[in-house]
Coordinates of all heavy atoms in Angstrom, one line a residue:
M1 N -5.4 3.7 5.7 CA -4.5 3.9 6.9 C -3.8 2.6 7.2 O -2.7 2.6 7.7 CB -5.3 4.3 8.1 CG -4.6 4.3 9.4 SD -4.1 6.0 9.8 CE -3.7 5.8 11.5
K2 N -4.4 1.4 7.0 CA -3.8 0.1 7.4 C -2.5 -0.1 6.6 O -1.7 -0.9 7.1 CB -4.8 -1.0 7.2 CG -5.1 -1.3 5.8 CD -6.0 -2.5 5.7 CE -6.3 -2.8 4.2 NZ -7.1 -4.0 4.1
D3 N -2.3 0.5 5.5 CA -1.1 0.3 4.7 C 0.0 1.3 5.0 O 1.1 1.3 4.5 CB -1.4 0.3 3.2 CG -2.1 -1.0 2.8 OD1 -2.0 -2.0 3.5 OD2 -2.7 -1.0 1.7
Q4 N -0.3 2.2 5.9 CA 0.6 3.3 6.3 C 1.8 2.7 7.1 O 1.6 1.8 7.9 CB 0.0 4.4 7.1 CG 0.9 5.5 7.5 CD 0.2 6.6 8.3 OE1 -0.8 6.4 8.9 NE2 0.8 7.7 8.3
R5 N 3.0 3.1 6.8 CA 4.1 2.6 7.5 C 4.2 3.2 8.9 O 3.8 4.3 9.1 CB 5.4 3.0 6.7 CG 5.5 2.5 5.3 CD 5.8 1.0 5.3 NE 5.6 0.4 4.0 CZ 6.6 0.0 3.2 NH1 7.8 0.3 3.6 NH2 6.3 -0.5 2.1
K6 N 4.7 2.4 9.8 CA 4.8 2.7 11.2 C 5.8 3.8 11.4 O 5.7 4.7 12.2 CB 5.1 1.5 12.1 CG 4.9 1.7 13.5 CD 5.2 0.4 14.3 CE 4.0 -0.4 14.4 NZ 4.1 -1.5 15.4
Y7 N 6.9 3.8 10.6 CA 8.0 4.7 10.8 C 8.4 5.3 9.4 O 8.1 4.8 8.4 CB 9.3 4.0 11.3 CG 9.0 3.5 12.7 CD1 8.7 2.1 12.9 CD2 9.1 4.3 13.8 CE1 8.5 1.7 14.2 CE2 8.9 3.9 15.1 CZ 8.6 2.5 15.3 OH 8.4 2.0 16.6
K8 N 8.9 6.5 9.5 CA 9.3 7.3 8.2 C 10.7 6.9 7.8 O 11.3 7.8 7.1 CB 9.2 8.8 8.5 CG 7.8 9.2 9.0 CD 7.8 10.6 9.4 CE 6.5 11.0 10.0 NZ 6.5 12.3 10.6
I9 N 11.1 5.7 8.0 CA 12.5 5.3 7.6 C 12.6 5.4 6.1 O 13.6 6.0 5.6 CB 12.8 3.9 8.1 CG1 12.7 3.9 9.6 CG2 14.2 3.5 7.6 CD1 12.8 2.5 10.2
D10 N 11.7 4.8 5.4 CA 11.8 4.8 3.9 C 11.8 6.2 3.3 O 12.6 6.5 2.4 CB 10.7 4.0 3.3 CG 11.1 2.6 2.8 OD1 12.3 2.3 2.9 OD2 10.2 1.9 2.3
A11 N 11.0 7.0 3.8 CA 10.9 8.4 3.3 C 12.3 9.1 3.5 O 12.8 9.8 2.7 CB 9.8 9.2 4.0
A12 N 12.9 8.9 4.7 CA 14.1 9.5 5.0 C 15.2 9.0 4.1 O 16.1 9.8 3.6 CB 14.5 9.3 6.5
I13 N 15.3 7.7 3.9 CA 16.3 7.1 3.0 C 16.1 7.5 1.6 O 17.1 7.9 0.9 CB 16.3 5.6 3.2 CG1 16.8 5.2 4.6 CG2 17.2 5.0 2.1 CD1 16.8 3.8 4.8
R14 N 14.9 7.6 1.1 CA 14.6 7.9 -0.3 C 14.9 9.4 -0.6 O 15.0 9.7 -1.8 CB 13.2 7.6 -0.6 CG 12.9 6.1 -0.7 CD 11.5 5.7 -1.0 NE 11.2 4.3 -0.8 CZ 11.3 3.4 -1.7 NH1 11.7 3.7 -2.9 NH2 11.0 2.1 -1.4
A15 N 15.0 10.2 0.4 CA 15.4 11.6 0.2 C 16.9 11.8 -0.1 O 17.3 12.8 -0.6 CB 15.1 12.4 1.5
L16 N 17.6 10.7 0.0 CA 19.1 10.7 -0.3 C 19.3 10.5 -1.8 O 18.5 9.9 -2.5 CB 19.8 9.6 0.5 CG 19.7 9.6 2.0 CD1 20.3 8.3 2.6 CD2 20.3 10.8 2.6
N17 N 20.4 11.0 -2.3 CA 20.8 10.7 -3.7 C 21.1 9.2 -3.8 O 21.3 8.6 -2.7 CB 21.9 11.6 -4.2 CG 23.2 11.4 -3.5 OD1 23.6 10.3 -3.2 ND2 23.9 12.5 -3.2
L18 N 21.2 8.7 -5.0 CA 21.4 7.3 -5.2 C 22.6 6.7 -4.5 O 22.6 5.7 -3.8 CB 21.4 6.9 -6.7 CG 21.5 5.5 -7.0 CD1 20.3 4.7 -6.5 CD2 21.6 5.3 -8.5
S19 N 23.7 7.4 -4.6 CA 25.0 6.9 -4.0 C 24.8 6.8 -2.5 O 25.2 5.9 -1.8 CB 26.1 7.9 -4.4 OG 27.3 7.5 -3.7
D20 N 24.3 7.9 -1.9 CA 24.1 7.9 -0.4 C 23.0 6.9 0.0 O 23.2 6.3 1.1 CB 23.7 9.3 0.1 CG 24.8 10.3 -0.1 OD1 26.0 9.9 -0.3 OD2 24.5 11.5 0.0
Y21 N 22.0 6.7 -0.8 CA 21.0 5.7 -0.5 C 21.6 4.3 -0.4 O 21.3 3.6 0.6 CB 19.9 5.8 -1.7 CG 18.9 4.7 -1.6 CD1 17.7 4.9 -0.9 CD2 19.0 3.5 -2.2 CE1 16.7 4.0 -0.8 CE2 18.0 2.5 -2.2 CZ 16.8 2.8 -1.5 OH 15.8 1.8 -1.4
K22 N 22.4 4.0 -1.4 CA 23.1 2.7 -1.3 C 24.0 2.5 -0.1 O 24.0 1.5 0.5 CB 23.8 2.4 -2.6 CG 23.0 2.2 -3.8 CD 23.8 2.0 -5.1 CE 22.9 1.7 -6.3 NZ 23.7 1.5 -7.5
A23 N 24.7 3.6 0.2 CA 25.6 3.5 1.3 C 24.8 3.4 2.6 O 25.2 2.6 3.5 CB 26.5 4.8 1.4
A24 N 23.7 4.1 2.7 CA 22.9 4.1 3.9 C 22.3 2.7 4.2 O 22.3 2.3 5.4 CB 21.7 5.1 3.8
L25 N 22.0 2.0 3.1 CA 21.4 0.6 3.3 C 22.5 -0.3 3.9 O 22.1 -1.3 4.5 CB 20.9 0.1 2.0 CG 19.7 0.8 1.4 CD1 19.2 0.2 0.1 CD2 18.5 0.8 2.4
R26 N 23.7 0.0 3.7 CA 24.8 -0.8 4.3 C 25.2 -0.3 5.7 O 25.5 -1.1 6.6 CB 26.0 -0.9 3.4 CG 25.7 -1.5 2.1 CD 27.0 -1.6 1.2 NE 26.7 -2.1 -0.1 CZ 26.6 -3.4 -0.5 NH1 26.7 -4.3 0.4 NH2 26.3 -3.7 -1.7
I27 N 25.3 1.0 5.8 CA 25.8 1.6 7.0 C 24.8 1.5 8.2 O 25.2 1.2 9.3 CB 26.1 3.1 6.8 CG1 27.3 3.2 5.8 CG2 26.4 3.9 8.1 CD1 27.5 4.6 5.3
I28 N 23.5 1.8 8.0 CA 22.6 1.8 9.1 C 22.5 0.5 9.8 O 22.6 0.5 11.0 CB 21.2 2.3 8.6 CG1 21.3 3.8 8.2 CG2 20.1 2.1 9.7 CD1 20.1 4.3 7.5
P29 N 22.3 -0.6 9.1 CA 22.3 -1.9 9.9 C 23.5 -2.2 10.7 O 23.5 -2.6 11.8 CB 22.1 -3.0 8.8 CG 21.5 -2.2 7.6 CD 22.1 -0.9 7.7
R30 N 24.7 -1.8 10.1 CA 25.9 -2.0 10.8 C 26.0 -1.2 12.1 O 26.4 -1.7 13.1 CB 27.1 -1.6 9.9 CG 28.5 -1.8 10.5 CD 29.6 -1.2 9.7 NE 29.5 0.2 9.9 CZ 29.9 1.1 9.0 NH1 30.5 0.7 7.8 NH2 29.8 2.4 9.2
E31 N 25.6 0.1 12.0 CA 25.6 1.0 13.1 C 24.6 0.6 14.2 O 24.8 0.8 15.4 CB 25.3 2.4 12.7 CG 26.5 3.0 11.9 CD 27.8 3.1 12.7 OE1 27.8 3.5 13.9 OE2 28.8 2.6 12.2
L32 N 23.5 0.0 13.8 CA 22.5 -0.5 14.7 C 22.8 -1.9 15.3 O 22.2 -2.3 16.2 CB 21.1 -0.5 14.1 CG 20.5 0.8 13.6 CD1 19.1 0.6 13.0 CD2 20.3 1.8 14.8
G33 N 23.7 -2.6 14.7 CA 24.1 -3.9 15.1 C 23.1 -5.0 14.8 O 22.9 -5.9 15.5
I34 N 22.5 -4.8 13.6 CA 21.4 -5.7 13.2 C 21.7 -6.2 11.8 O 22.5 -5.6 11.1 CB 20.0 -5.1 13.2 CG1 19.9 -3.9 12.3 CG2 19.6 -4.8 14.7 CD1 18.6 -3.3 12.2
A35 N 21.1 -7.3 11.3 CA 21.2 -7.8 10.0 C 20.5 -6.8 9.0 O 19.5 -6.2 9.4 CB 20.7 -9.2 9.9
S36 N 21.0 -6.8 7.8 CA 20.3 -5.9 6.8 C 18.9 -6.4 6.5 O 18.0 -5.5 6.3 CB 21.1 -5.9 5.5 OG 21.3 -7.2 4.9
N37 N 18.6 -7.7 6.6 CA 17.3 -8.2 6.5 C 16.4 -7.6 7.6 O 15.2 -7.3 7.4 CB 17.2 -9.7 6.4 CG 15.9 -10.2 6.0 OD1 15.3 -9.7 5.0 ND2 15.4 -11.2 6.7
T38 N 16.9 -7.6 8.8 CA 16.1 -7.0 9.9 C 15.8 -5.6 9.7 O 14.7 -5.1 9.9 CB 16.9 -7.2 11.3 OG1 17.2 -8.6 11.5 CG2 16.1 -6.6 12.5
F39 N 16.8 -4.8 9.2 CA 16.6 -3.4 8.9 C 15.5 -3.3 7.8 O 14.6 -2.4 7.9 CB 17.9 -2.7 8.4 CG 17.7 -1.3 8.1 CD1 17.3 -0.4 9.0 CD2 18.0 -0.8 6.8 CE1 17.1 1.0 8.7 CE2 17.8 0.5 6.5 CZ 17.4 1.4 7.4
H40 N 15.5 -4.1 6.8 CA 14.5 -4.1 5.7 C 13.1 -4.4 6.3 O 12.2 -3.7 6.0 CB 14.9 -5.2 4.7 CG 13.8 -5.3 3.6 ND1 13.6 -4.3 2.7 CD2 12.9 -6.3 3.4 CE1 12.6 -4.7 1.9 NE2 12.2 -5.9 2.3
N41 N 13.1 -5.3 7.3 CA 11.8 -5.6 7.9 C 11.3 -4.3 8.7 O 10.1 -4.0 8.8 CB 11.9 -6.8 8.8 CG 12.0 -8.1 8.1 OD1 11.6 -8.2 6.9 ND2 12.6 -9.1 8.7
Y42 N 12.2 -3.7 9.4 CA 11.9 -2.4 10.2 C 11.3 -1.4 9.2 O 10.3 -0.7 9.5 CB 13.1 -1.8 10.8 CG 13.6 -2.6 12.1 CD1 14.8 -2.2 12.6 CD2 12.9 -3.6 12.7 CE1 15.3 -2.9 13.8 CE2 13.4 -4.3 13.8 CZ 14.6 -3.9 14.3 OH 15.0 -4.5 15.5
R43 N 11.9 -1.3 8.0 CA 11.5 -0.2 7.1 C 10.0 -0.5 6.6 O 9.3 0.5 6.3 CB 12.4 -0.3 5.8 CG 13.8 0.2 6.1 CD 14.7 0.1 4.9 NE 14.2 0.7 3.7 CZ 14.6 0.4 2.5 NH1 15.5 -0.5 2.3 NH2 14.1 1.0 1.5
K44 N 9.6 -1.7 6.5 CA 8.3 -2.0 6.0 C 7.2 -2.3 7.0 O 6.1 -2.7 6.7 CB 8.4 -3.2 5.0 CG 8.8 -4.5 5.5 CD 8.8 -5.5 4.4 CE 9.1 -6.9 5.0 NZ 9.0 -7.9 4.0
L45 N 7.5 -2.1 8.3 CA 6.5 -2.2 9.3 C 5.3 -1.3 9.1 O 5.5 -0.1 8.8 CB 7.1 -1.9 10.7 CG 8.0 -2.9 11.4 CD1 8.6 -2.4 12.7 CD2 7.2 -4.2 11.7
K46 N 4.1 -1.9 9.2 CA 2.9 -1.1 9.0 C 2.3 -0.7 10.4 O 2.6 -1.3 11.4 CB 1.9 -1.9 8.3 CG 2.4 -2.3 6.9 CD 1.3 -2.5 5.9 CE 1.7 -2.9 4.5 NZ 3.0 -2.6 4.1
V47 N 1.5 0.4 10.4 CA 1.0 0.9 11.6 C 0.2 -0.2 12.4 O 0.2 -0.3 13.6 CB 0.1 2.1 11.3 CG1 -0.7 2.5 12.6 CG2 0.9 3.3 10.8
T48 N -0.5 -1.1 11.6 CA -1.3 -2.2 12.2 C -0.5 -3.4 12.7 O -1.0 -4.2 13.4 CB -2.3 -2.7 11.2 OG1 -1.6 -3.1 10.0 CG2 -3.3 -1.6 10.9
D49 N 0.8 -3.4 12.4 CA 1.6 -4.5 12.9 C 1.9 -4.5 14.4 O 2.1 -3.4 14.9 CB 3.0 -4.5 12.1 CG 2.9 -4.9 10.7 OD1 1.8 -5.4 10.3 OD2 3.8 -4.6 9.9
K50 N 1.9 -5.6 15.0 CA 2.2 -5.7 16.4 C 3.7 -5.6 16.7 O 4.2 -5.1 17.7 CB 1.7 -7.0 17.0 CG 0.2 -7.1 17.1 CD -0.3 -8.3 17.8 CE -1.8 -8.3 17.9 NZ -2.3 -9.4 18.6
A51 N 4.5 -6.0 15.7 CA 6.0 -5.9 15.8 C 6.4 -4.4 15.9 O 5.7 -3.5 15.4 CB 6.7 -6.5 14.6
D52 N 7.5 -4.2 16.6 CA 8.0 -2.8 16.7 C 9.5 -2.8 16.8 O 10.2 -3.8 16.9 CB 7.5 -2.2 18.0 CG 7.3 -0.7 17.9 OD1 7.8 -0.1 17.0 OD2 6.5 -0.1 18.7
I53 N 10.1 -1.6 16.6 CA 11.5 -1.4 16.7 C 11.9 -1.0 18.1 O 11.2 -0.2 18.7 CB 12.0 -0.3 15.7 CG1 11.6 -0.6 14.3 CG2 13.5 -0.1 15.8 CD1 11.8 0.5 13.3
P54 N 12.9 -1.6 18.7 CA 13.3 -1.2 20.1 C 13.6 0.3 20.1 O 14.1 0.9 19.2 CB 14.6 -2.0 20.3 CG 14.5 -3.2 19.4 CD 13.8 -2.7 18.2
Y55 N 13.1 0.9 21.2 CA 13.2 2.4 21.4 C 14.6 2.9 21.1 O 14.8 4.0 20.5 CB 12.7 2.8 22.8 CG 12.9 4.2 23.1 CD1 12.0 5.1 22.5 CD2 13.9 4.7 23.8 CE1 12.1 6.5 22.7 CE2 14.0 6.1 24.1 CZ 13.1 7.0 23.5 OH 13.3 8.3 23.7
E56 N 15.6 2.3 21.6 CA 17.0 2.8 21.5 C 17.4 2.9 20.0 O 18.0 3.8 19.6 CB 18.0 1.8 22.2 CG 19.4 2.3 22.1 CD 20.4 1.3 22.8 OE1 19.9 0.4 23.5 OE2 21.6 1.5 22.6
M57 N 16.9 1.9 19.2 CA 17.2 2.0 17.8 C 16.4 3.1 17.1 O 17.0 3.7 16.1 CB 16.9 0.6 17.1 CG 17.9 -0.4 17.5 SD 17.7 -1.9 16.5 CE 18.7 -3.0 17.5
V58 N 15.2 3.3 17.5 CA 14.4 4.4 16.9 C 15.1 5.7 17.2 O 15.3 6.5 16.3 CB 13.0 4.4 17.5 CG1 12.2 5.7 17.1 CG2 12.2 3.2 17.1
R59 N 15.6 5.9 18.4 CA 16.3 7.1 18.8 C 17.6 7.3 17.9 O 17.9 8.4 17.4 CB 16.7 7.2 20.3 CG 15.6 7.6 21.1 CD 15.0 9.0 20.8 NE 16.0 10.0 21.0 CZ 16.2 11.0 20.2 NH1 15.5 11.2 19.1 NH2 17.2 11.9 20.4
K60 N 18.3 6.2 17.7 CA 19.5 6.2 16.9 C 19.2 6.6 15.5 O 19.9 7.5 14.9 CB 20.3 4.9 16.9 CG 21.0 4.6 18.2 CD 21.7 3.3 18.2 CE 22.5 3.0 19.5 NZ 23.2 1.7 19.4
L61 N 18.1 6.1 15.0 CA 17.7 6.4 13.6 C 17.3 7.9 13.5 O 17.7 8.6 12.5 CB 16.5 5.6 13.1 CG 16.9 4.1 12.8 CD1 15.6 3.3 12.7 CD2 17.7 4.0 11.5
E62 N 16.6 8.4 14.5 CA 16.3 9.8 14.5 C 17.5 10.7 14.5 O 17.5 11.7 13.8 CB 15.4 10.1 15.7 CG 14.0 9.6 15.6 CD 13.1 9.7 16.9 OE1 13.7 9.8 18.0 OE2 11.9 9.6 16.7
V63 N 18.5 10.3 15.3 CA 19.7 11.1 15.3 C 20.4 11.0 14.0 O 20.9 12.0 13.5 CB 20.7 10.6 16.5 CG1 22.0 11.2 16.4 CG2 20.0 10.9 17.8
M64 N 20.5 9.8 13.4 CA 21.2 9.7 12.1 C 20.5 10.5 11.0 O 21.2 11.1 10.2 CB 21.1 8.2 11.6 CG 22.1 7.3 12.3 SD 21.9 5.6 11.6 CE 22.5 4.6 12.9
F65 N 19.2 10.6 11.1 CA 18.4 11.4 10.1 C 18.2 12.8 10.5 O 17.5 13.6 9.8 CB 17.1 10.7 9.8 CG 17.2 9.4 9.1 CD1 16.6 8.3 9.6 CD2 17.9 9.3 7.9 CE1 16.7 7.0 9.0 CE2 18.0 8.0 7.2 CZ 17.4 6.9 7.8
K66 N 18.8 13.2 11.6 CA 18.7 14.6 12.1 C 17.2 15.0 12.4 O 16.8 16.0 12.0 CB 19.4 15.6 11.2 CG 20.9 15.4 11.2 CD 21.6 16.5 10.4 CE 23.1 16.2 10.4 NZ 23.8 17.3 9.7
M67 N 16.5 14.1 13.0 CA 15.1 14.3 13.3 C 15.0 14.6 14.8 O 15.8 14.1 15.6 CB 14.3 13.1 13.0 CG 14.2 12.7 11.5 SD 13.2 11.2 11.3 CE 12.8 11.3 9.6
E68 N 13.9 15.3 15.2 CA 13.7 15.5 16.6 C 13.1 14.2 17.2 O 12.6 13.4 16.5 CB 12.7 16.7 16.8 CG 13.3 18.0 16.3 CD 12.5 19.2 16.8 OE1 11.7 19.0 17.7 OE2 12.7 20.2 16.2
M69 N 13.2 14.2 18.5 CA 12.6 13.0 19.2 C 11.2 12.8 18.9 O 10.4 13.7 18.9 CB 12.8 13.2 20.7 CG 12.4 11.9 21.5 SD 12.5 12.2 23.3 CE 14.3 12.4 23.5
G70 N 10.8 11.6 18.4 CA 9.4 11.3 18.1 C 9.1 11.6 16.7 O 7.9 11.2 16.2
A71 N 10.0 12.1 15.9 CA 9.6 12.5 14.5 C 9.6 11.3 13.5 O 9.1 11.5 12.4 CB 10.6 13.6 14.0
L72 N 10.2 10.2 13.9 CA 10.3 9.1 13.0 C 9.0 8.3 12.9 O 8.8 7.7 11.9 CB 11.5 8.2 13.5 CG 11.9 7.1 12.5 CD1 12.5 7.7 11.2 CD2 12.9 6.2 13.1
T73 N 8.2 8.4 13.9 CA 7.0 7.6 13.9 C 5.9 8.3 13.1 O 5.8 9.5 13.0 CB 6.5 7.4 15.4 OG1 5.4 6.5 15.4 CG2 6.1 8.7 16.1
N74 N 5.0 7.5 12.5 CA 3.9 7.9 11.7 C 2.6 7.9 12.5 O 1.5 8.1 12.0 CB 3.7 7.1 10.5 CG 4.4 7.7 9.3 OD1 4.5 8.9 9.2 ND2 4.9 6.9 8.4
Q75 N 2.6 7.6 13.8 CA 1.4 7.5 14.6 C 1.6 8.3 15.9 O 2.7 8.5 16.4 CB 1.1 6.1 14.9 CG 2.2 5.3 15.7 CD 1.9 3.8 15.8 OE1 1.1 3.3 15.0 NE2 2.6 3.2 16.7
E76 N 0.5 8.8 16.4 CA 0.5 9.5 17.6 C 0.2 8.6 18.8 O -0.5 7.7 18.7 CB -0.5 10.7 17.6 CG -0.2 11.8 16.7 CD -1.2 12.9 16.8 OE1 -1.7 13.2 17.9 OE2 -1.4 13.5 15.7
T77 N 0.9 8.9 19.9 CA 0.6 8.1 21.1 C -0.3 8.9 22.0 O 0.0 10.0 22.4 CB 1.9 7.8 21.9 OG1 2.8 7.1 21.0 CG2 1.7 6.9 23.1
H78 N -1.4 8.3 22.4 CA -2.4 9.0 23.3 C -2.4 8.2 24.6 O -2.6 7.0 24.6 CB -3.8 9.0 22.6 CG -3.8 9.7 21.3 ND1 -3.8 11.0 21.2 CD2 -3.8 9.2 20.1 CE1 -3.8 11.4 20.0 NE2 -3.8 10.3 19.2
C79 N -2.3 9.0 25.7 CA -2.4 8.4 27.0 C -2.6 9.5 28.0 O -2.1 10.7 27.8 CB -1.1 7.7 27.3 SG -1.1 6.8 28.9
E80 N -3.3 9.2 29.1 CA -3.5 10.2 30.2 C -2.1 10.3 30.9 O -1.4 9.3 30.9 CB -4.5 9.7 31.2 CG -5.9 9.8 30.7 CD -6.5 11.2 31.0 OE1 -6.0 11.9 31.8 OE2 -7.5 11.5 30.3
D81 N -1.9 11.5 31.5 CA -0.7 11.5 32.3 C -0.9 10.7 33.6 O -2.0 10.5 34.1 CB -0.3 13.0 32.6 CG -1.3 13.7 33.6 OD1 -1.2 13.4 34.8 OD2 -2.0 14.6 33.1
L82 N 0.2 10.3 34.2 CA 0.1 9.4 35.4 C -0.7 10.0 36.5 O -1.4 9.3 37.2 CB 1.5 9.0 35.8 CG 1.6 8.0 36.9 CD1 0.9 6.7 36.6 CD2 3.1 7.7 37.3
R83 N -0.5 11.3 36.8 CA -1.2 11.9 37.9 C -2.7 11.7 37.8 O -3.4 11.3 38.7 CB -0.9 13.4 38.0 CG -1.5 14.1 39.1 CD -0.8 14.0 40.4 NE -0.5 13.6 41.6 CZ -0.6 12.5 42.3 NH1 -1.0 11.5 41.9 NH2 -0.1 12.3 43.4
N84 N -3.3 11.9 36.6 CA -4.7 11.7 36.4 C -5.1 10.3 36.5 O -6.2 10.0 37.0 CB -5.2 12.3 35.0 CG -5.1 13.8 34.9 OD1 -5.2 14.5 35.9 ND2 -5.0 14.3 33.7
L85 N -4.3 9.4 36.0 CA -4.6 8.0 36.1 C -4.6 7.5 37.6 O -5.5 6.7 38.0 CB -3.6 7.1 35.4 CG -3.6 7.3 33.8 CD1 -2.4 6.6 33.2 CD2 -4.9 6.8 33.3
I86 N -3.7 8.1 38.4 CA -3.7 7.8 39.8 C -4.9 8.3 40.5 O -5.6 7.6 41.3 CB -2.4 8.3 40.5 CG1 -1.2 7.5 40.0 CG2 -2.5 8.3 42.0 CD1 0.1 8.1 40.4
I87 N -5.4 9.5 40.2 CA -6.6 10.1 40.8 C -7.8 9.2 40.4 O -8.6 8.9 41.3 CB -6.8 11.5 40.3 CG1 -5.7 12.4 40.9 CG2 -8.2 12.0 40.6 CD1 -5.6 13.8 40.4
E88 N -7.9 8.8 39.1 CA -9.0 7.9 38.7 C -9.0 6.6 39.4 O -10.0 6.1 39.8 CB -8.9 7.7 37.2 CG -9.3 8.9 36.4 CD -9.1 8.6 34.9 OE1 -9.0 7.5 34.5 OE2 -9.0 9.6 34.1
Y89 N -7.8 6.1 39.6 CA -7.6 4.8 40.3 C -8.1 4.9 41.8 O -8.9 4.1 42.2 CB -6.2 4.4 40.3 CG -5.9 3.1 41.2 CD1 -6.1 1.9 40.7 CD2 -5.3 3.3 42.4 CE1 -5.9 0.8 41.4 CE2 -5.0 2.2 43.2 CZ -5.3 0.9 42.7 OH -5.1 -0.2 43.5
H90 N -7.7 5.9 42.5 CA -8.1 6.1 43.8 C -9.6 6.4 43.9 O -10.3 5.9 44.8 CB -7.3 7.3 44.5 CG -5.9 6.9 44.8 ND1 -5.6 5.8 45.6 CD2 -4.7 7.5 44.5 CE1 -4.2 5.7 45.7 NE2 -3.7 6.8 45.0
N91 N -10.2 7.1 43.0 CA -11.6 7.4 43.0 C -12.4 6.1 42.8 O -13.4 5.8 43.4 CB -12.0 8.4 41.9 CG -11.5 9.8 42.3 OD1 -11.3 10.1 43.5 ND2 -11.4 10.7 41.3
A92 N -12.0 5.3 41.9 CA -12.6 4.0 41.6 C -12.5 3.1 42.7 O -13.4 2.3 43.1 CB -12.1 3.4 40.3
E93 N -11.3 3.1 43.4 CA -11.1 2.2 44.5 C -12.0 2.6 45.7 O -12.6 1.7 46.4 CB -9.6 2.3 45.0 CG -9.2 1.3 46.0 CD -7.7 1.4 46.2 OE1 -7.3 2.4 46.9 OE2 -7.0 0.6 45.8
S94 N -12.2 3.9 45.9 CA -13.1 4.3 47.0 C -14.6 4.0 46.8 O -15.3 3.8 47.7 CB -12.9 5.8 47.3 OG -13.3 6.6 46.2
V95 N -14.9 4.0 45.5 CA -16.3 3.7 45.1 C -16.6 2.2 45.3 O -17.7 1.8 45.7 CB -16.6 4.1 43.6 CG1 -17.9 3.6 43.2 CG2 -16.5 5.6 43.5
S96 N -15.6 1.3 45.1 CA -15.8 -0.1 45.1 C -15.8 -0.6 46.6 O -16.1 -1.8 46.8 CB -14.8 -0.8 44.3 OG -13.5 -0.6 44.8
I97 N -15.4 0.2 47.5 CA -15.3 -0.3 48.9 C -16.6 -0.2 49.6 O -17.6 0.2 49.5 CB -14.2 0.6 49.7 CG1 -12.9 0.3 49.2 CG2 -14.3 0.3 51.2 CD1 -11.8 1.1 49.8

């Protein structure tokens, strides 16, 4: 799992034919307003890496690859909803008083 990529960027690009693949490697960094080396680094991010891609760029990539929101990531995000966290906070606060 530690070698798993954080995002499915490589898989999406590799699904293209060779001509489109080469074009995508030039077009995507230009459209995101980043250097091609930065895009290359984004492609090879691993799940265990602390570095991440800014959310706006992830959404742009999902749109470019015709993916649904959240489909580009290879990991699930787990978190309680805010209402439950607030209830837990108030319960813990009343216990500590």
Side-chain angles (χ1 to χ4, degrees):
M1 171 103 166
K2 69 178 180 175
D3 288 340
Q4 183 180 18
R5 300 286 167 104
K6 193 176 274 194
Y7 297 98
K8 300 173 188 171
I9 300 170
D10 256 358
I13 291 177
R14 290 179 194 268
L16 302 171
N17 65 40
L18 183 59
S19 174
D20 292 346
Y21 175 88
K22 289 179 179 181
L25 292 181
R26 295 182 189 276
I27 293 168
I28 294 172
R30 183 190 71 208
E31 290 299 311
L32 295 178
I34 59 175
S36 58
N37 192 45
T38 301
F39 179 61
H40 176 70
N41 290 337
Y42 286 171
R43 290 172 55 197
K44 64 181 187 173
L45 283 173
K46 300 208 180 335
V47 171
T48 56
D49 291 342
K50 289 185 180 184
D52 211 343
I53 303 173
Y55 176 75
E56 181 181 349
M57 289 190 194
V58 172
R59 280 300 299 139
K60 286 181 180 180
L61 287 166
E62 288 171 339
V63 171
M64 284 183 205
F65 292 124
K66 295 185 178 182
M67 295 178 162
E68 293 193 21
M69 187 181 293
L72 193 64
T73 186
N74 266 329
Q75 59 189 19
E76 291 185 33
T77 304
H78 301 283
C79 184
E80 284 278 340
D81 69 74
L82 184 56
R83 183 84 260 28
N84 289 340
L85 292 171
I86 291 170
I87 291 169
E88 289 175 16
Y89 172 80
H90 288 305
N91 289 340
E93 191 175 73
S94 66
V95 170
S96 65
I97 294 178

